[in-house]
Amino acid sequence: MFVIGCHLSASKGFLAMGKEATSIQADTFQFFTRNPRGSRAKELDMGDIAAFLEYAERYHIKTPLAHAPYTLNPASAEERIKEFALLTLADDLKRLSHLPGSLYNLHPGSHVGQGTEKGILQIVEVLNQILWAENQTPLLLETMSGKGSEVGSCFEELCAIIEGVEFKEQVGVCLDTCHVYAAGYDIVNDLNGVLEEFDRIIGLEKLRAIHLNDSMHPLGSHKDRHAKIGEGTIGFSAFCHIVNHPALQNIPFYLETPQETVEGYGEEIKRLREAVQ
Ligand code: FE
Ligand code: FE
Ligand code: ZN
């Protein structure tokens, strides 16, 4: 089954996002759990969540993807920043237990000069403190472009993080097409090779979500600038291969392309649905 959606603003609540998704023929969506810069989260509106769950059931909206604030850094050398990441992630995960069927995506972090190994250790330490045995929300590590001192721009680093986590079965990966391409994985000329490498190092069963973004910058640039589908260095035909790839069936796709309006996402969703065979 082909499931596709886009990033939506959470400001009007879950039911509003569900309706917005339906209006552009999306059957899923992504949202920030709180202001992307990481401020305090709004009080959960249980009535809105109940109304959304009913709406989602009726209109076949699946797998909302909650994105953690991208400024959180569990790999920081500063104890205060690491602690803030831990508290925020833990709070988000608890709140998501009220949104069954959702996924929680986070950027692993930046080691800020401490070295990748230290960064990975800290990320593992934080994940081990926020996950608990009964947690039902899969936590996804996003593949990063490798700008600055980002951890998670190669499959080996993501694997090392997962290996360190006690509740491994709760941890998966969200593959961002712009980020992996910028990190040097050639999904344009060798999609099969990249997926085989992912499978060999992490295991394809860990791949739970895909961010569909074209890239402004070339392969291996380590620059994180998204472009509209077909308007970047990845190009539309590569996206046709991605959405039709047999190994990627049943994995939800989320657009995070630079759009001025939700209708802009609607156009991309329409083109990609037409590309699916
Ligand atoms: Fe992200
Ligand atoms: Fe992304
Ligand atoms: Zn990005």
Side-chain angles (χ1 to χ4, degrees):
M1 197 189 0
F2 182 57
V3 174
I4 186 165
C6 62
H7 188 87
L8 295 176
S9 161
S11 62
K12 293 193 208 112
F14 287 103
L15 180 60
M17 285 191 280
K19 288 184 173 171
E20 201 158 37
T22 306
S23 78
I24 53 168
Q25 272 78 55
D27 37 27
T28 189
F29 59 88
Q30 173 178 268
F31 63 98
F32 282 125
T33 53
R34 58 189 78 211
N35 178 303
R37 303 208 71 82
S39 62
R40 191 189 300 210
K42 273 198 310 194
E43 208 47 53
L44 275 187
D45 178 347
M46 295 312 290
D48 175 49
I49 290 184
F52 165 72
L53 291 173
E54 204 184 303
Y55 182 89
E57 176 82 34
R58 174 152 1 132
Y59 292 95
H60 311 291
I61 305 274
K62 293 165 277 287
T63 342
L65 179 57
H67 196 309
Y70 47 75
T71 46
L72 296 183
N73 188 9
S76 172
E78 274 182 66
E79 190 54 36
R80 185 180 55 85
I81 294 175
K82 183 185 153 199
E83 188 65 20
F84 180 69
L86 188 149
L87 293 173
T88 307
L89 294 169
D91 185 47
D92 275 356
L93 259 187
K94 291 223 178 66
R95 295 157 61 92
L96 286 168
S97 62
H98 297 287
L99 196 67
S102 59
L103 303 166
Y104 186 39
N105 176 57
L106 68 107
H107 295 183
S110 296
H111 65 70
V112 289
Q114 304 192 89
T116 308
E117 230 167 286
K118 181 88 199 303
I120 290 173
L121 276 175
Q122 282 189 210
I123 295 162
V124 166
E125 199 186 321
V126 167
L127 296 189
N128 277 330
Q129 286 185 73
I130 63 166
L131 295 170
W132 69 100
E134 296 80 20
N135 171 44
Q136 297 291 320
T137 311
L139 183 144
L140 310 186
L141 303 166
E142 182 166 349
T143 60
M144 303 313 293
S145 63
K147 66 177 184 301
S149 62
E150 272 175 350
V151 179
S153 65
C154 65
F155 300 156
E156 286 81 358
E157 291 173 11
L158 294 169
C159 173
I161 297 170
I162 297 170
E163 280 305 309
V165 175
E166 183 187 354
F167 300 117
K168 294 179 182 49
E169 67 289 348
Q170 297 182 20
V171 184
V173 172
C174 170
L175 184 143
D176 186 308
T177 55
C178 166
H179 299 176
V180 287
Y181 193 62
Y185 292 100
D186 193 354
I187 53 173
V188 174
N189 299 301
D190 189 20
L191 178 61
N192 280 330
V194 172
L195 292 176
E196 274 162 28
E197 190 171 340
F198 188 102
D199 193 34
R200 183 161 38 80
I201 295 164
I202 302 175
L204 272 172
E205 70 284 355
K206 287 285 182 201
L207 183 55
R208 300 295 302 273
I210 294 177
H211 281 165
L212 276 185
N213 303 305
D214 213 324
S215 171
M216 300 248 233
H217 294 286
L219 176 71
S221 60
H222 298 289
K223 287 196 175 121
D224 180 3
R225 291 287 299 282
H226 302 184
K228 293 180 181 173
I229 301 300
E231 294 184 14
T233 53
I234 296 176
F236 193 73
S237 72
F239 287 101
C240 292
H241 292 132
I242 291 168
V243 295
N244 284 298
H245 198 284
L248 306 180
Q249 301 308 302
N250 301 314
I251 298 174
F253 294 97
Y254 305 83
L255 295 158
E256 309 175 298
T257 52
Q259 301 289 345
E260 291 75 40
T261 62
V262 171
E263 288 70 36
Y265 282 125
E267 286 301 311
E268 289 187 326
I269 289 171
K270 186 163 173 277
R271 279 183 79 201
L272 289 162
R273 284 199 186 282
E274 284 165 4
V276 172
Q277 274 130 26

